Amino acid sequence: MGNNASGEPNGPRMSVKGPLIFSAALGVIAGFCTMIFSTGGAENQLRWDLGITAAGIAFIATLLVVAVLTMAGKDNPDHLSQGSGVNRSSAKIPGGAGSVGGTTRAPREPQTDPDTIRDEDQNDDGGSHRPQV
């Protein structure tokens, strides 16, 4: 059984009422639209069979999608709201908002890795300057 002595639930309980009402409303809308649009004209009778079928399919499909999305949802850990990571002040980040506008600096030279080949060295044929035939 449960480990909780007070008899209250451990975490927040999700209600079933919301997804059922949402699914039922979409089922009614789908059934009504199908029933009206499947008649084929004003002189024909309403297609109740297609309307009820479409309502049932829409209800079940919507309820299934809502249930899967509810199970897949997960709350963020508490440490994310403590101001680290995304919530840092951009003024404290090097090159962030705190460095804009105060002083003007000369543009930096791009740093190059000594192992990378420069553009002029890519077509180097090893030192021989003979024309290729």
Side-chain angles (χ1 to χ4, degrees):
M1 310 281 186
N3 296 333
N4 193 354
S6 68
E8 295 179 14
N10 292 333
R13 298 189 99 175
M14 297 195 58
S15 175
V16 181
K17 234 186 263 189
L20 279 176
I21 292 172
F22 180 70
S23 298
L26 284 180
V28 168
I29 291 170
F32 181 74
C33 291
T34 303
M35 183 175 57
I36 295 296
F37 295 131
S38 65
T39 58
E43 60 273 350
N44 296 335
Q45 292 184 355
L46 291 176
R47 296 291 309 262
W48 289 94
D49 55 340
L50 291 178
I52 292 172
T53 304
I57 291 172
F59 174 76
I60 292 171
T62 306
L63 195 59
L64 179 69
V65 168
V66 170
V68 168
L69 290 176
T70 303
M71 288 189 302
K74 184 170 91 170
D75 291 334
N76 287 336
D78 290 333
H79 69 85
L80 291 178
S81 63
Q82 300 301 321
S84 63
V86 187
N87 298 322
R88 293 191 317 183
S89 172
S90 61
K92 297 177 185 175
I93 300 173
S99 63
V100 176
T103 60
T104 57
R105 293 188 241 164
R108 294 187 309 174
E109 290 291 324
Q111 296 178 354
T112 58
D113 188 16
D115 295 334
T116 60
I117 300 173
R118 296 180 301 182
D119 289 338
E120 60 267 5
D121 291 341
Q122 287 181 356
N123 295 329
D124 192 11
D125 60 353
S128 67
H129 296 287
R130 290 184 290 175
Q132 295 181 358
V133 185

